[in-house]
Amino acid sequence: MILGVDGGSTKTLAIVFDEISESIIGVGVSGPSNFTNAPRETSTANISDAVKKACSEAGVDVRSIDTKVFGLAGIGDSKEATELGKDIVRSIVGDAQVVSDGLGAYKFANLNEDGVIFAPGTGSVGFIKNGGDPQRFGGWGWFIGDEASASWMAKQAILLAEREYDGIADTGFKEMVTRYFGMDLYEAVYAISKERIAKRVVAALAPHVSAIARAGNVYAMSIFEESSSYIAELLKAKSRILGGSGRYSVLGGTMLSGDFYRQMIRRKSSVDVSIYYGYQVAIGDVLIGLERKNSIDRYLRDRMIGQLNSSLKNKQEDIKKFLFLDSVPES
């Protein structure tokens, strides 16, 4: 059996996979586990919770699972962060392979093919593979970078609320933002600047932005226009490095914003783009473990996507609380 775990700033998702039946037999979902922006105790508790839920559903003891792969945000950020992440995993399950969540994302989306992935979730990061191991780009953090991520979209929304507050433009954002945070706009901005409001909470404003974009708010739509243009520009630049060949994938929570956004990205991009959702990335960690024993291919990956979606449909409370989904996408 294989345990694959994906942990980030918003959620942690664990999968138990039986390689004999080629089936996902257990899934667990919990809260954030990015130990670079959450206390160690919180990260440890949420990883442990997700693993326990997945193992309980599978009817197995985690100690009986011979292959364990953890793809965690924060791994690779620095030597100190990497050692901390590995130590957290050891404290929960003992020996395991620990990689960055970005490598799990690359394996999930592109398998072993050369190409590019861009992952705009709570933050954003990308990887390019050109004959060797995938190499990271982006991931500069939400204060300076993280373009096209949920936290970036939320910052743009707050900026538009400020413009309306100051009487510069009637953006339609002030009421939405103040209602979301439950306080005056000045108070909300001050609390965010003092890190009294967690990054994942700020980022969770993004679905409200997509909702008013779908309703026709032109200012909200401009956020998605800028974001999709950035993604298209990024993919074009990386495709030049690859000579136009390779596989190009975009995956992350922001891809749940709506079909309008996914079509916008595809329309603007000069390469064919595959789009996936962030909660599916734990499949990549399973694939990393599986290819130690067997070959992997897109057909197996796609069956696993269907199995994961089916499992999550029975976890309505968890997907609403941790994935911010009212329902699981059909594909």
Side-chain angles (χ1 to χ4, degrees), residues 116-121 147-149 152-153 221 223-236 248-277:
V116 176
I117 68 149
F118 180 62
E147 287 95 335
S149 70
W152 178 87
M153 290 179 178
M221 191 61 75
I223 293 175
F224 290 95
E225 289 285 359
E226 183 177 352
S227 178
S228 58
S229 293
Y230 171 78
I231 293 172
E233 180 183 9
L234 178 158
L235 295 176
K236 183 178 181 179
Y248 299 82
S249 301
V250 180
L251 64 159
T254 58
M255 295 303 103
L256 292 162
S257 297
D259 192 52
F260 80 95
Y261 185 44
R262 296 186 291 272
Q263 289 182 6
M264 199 181 284
I265 292 169
R266 289 189 170 110
R267 185 177 68 252
K268 293 181 179 183
S269 296
S270 59
V271 294
D272 290 334
V273 182
S274 298
I275 292 179
Y276 305 98
Y277 306 127

Side-chain angles (χ1 to χ4, degrees), residues 35-36 40 75 79-89:
F35 47 86
T36 66
R40 174 177 177 147
I75 298 296
K79 289 182 180 179
E80 180 181 359
T82 298
E83 285 307 311
L84 174 57
K86 289 180 177 180
D87 191 50
I88 289 172
V89 171

Side-chain angles (χ1 to χ4, degrees), residues 28 45 52 58 76 91 99 103 133 188 190 193 210 244 249 323 326:
K52 286 178 180 177
S91 73
V99 300
L103 289 179
D133 293 330
Y190 181 78
S193 71
S210 61
S249 301
L323 305 182
D326 293 320

Side-chain angles (χ1 to χ4, degrees), residues 11-56:
K11 56 87 179 72
T12 306
L13 195 147
I15 293 173
V16 176
F17 181 80
D18 177 23
E19 64 264 39
I20 297 175
S21 63
E22 293 190 341
S23 298
I24 291 174
I25 59 174
V27 176
V29 190
S30 191
S33 55
N34 185 342
F35 47 86
T36 66
N37 56 35
R40 174 177 177 147
E41 295 76 16
T42 300
S43 300
T44 303
N46 285 330
I47 293 171
S48 180
D49 185 44
V51 169
K52 286 178 180 177
K53 287 177 178 177
C55 289
S56 175

Side-chain angles (χ1 to χ4, degrees), residues 195-218:
E195 299 183 350
R196 294 174 185 168
I197 300 177
K199 175 183 177 180
R200 69 182 294 268
V201 175
V202 177
L205 178 60
H208 298 268
V209 179
S210 61
I212 66 171
R214 291 192 299 270
N217 183 293
V218 295

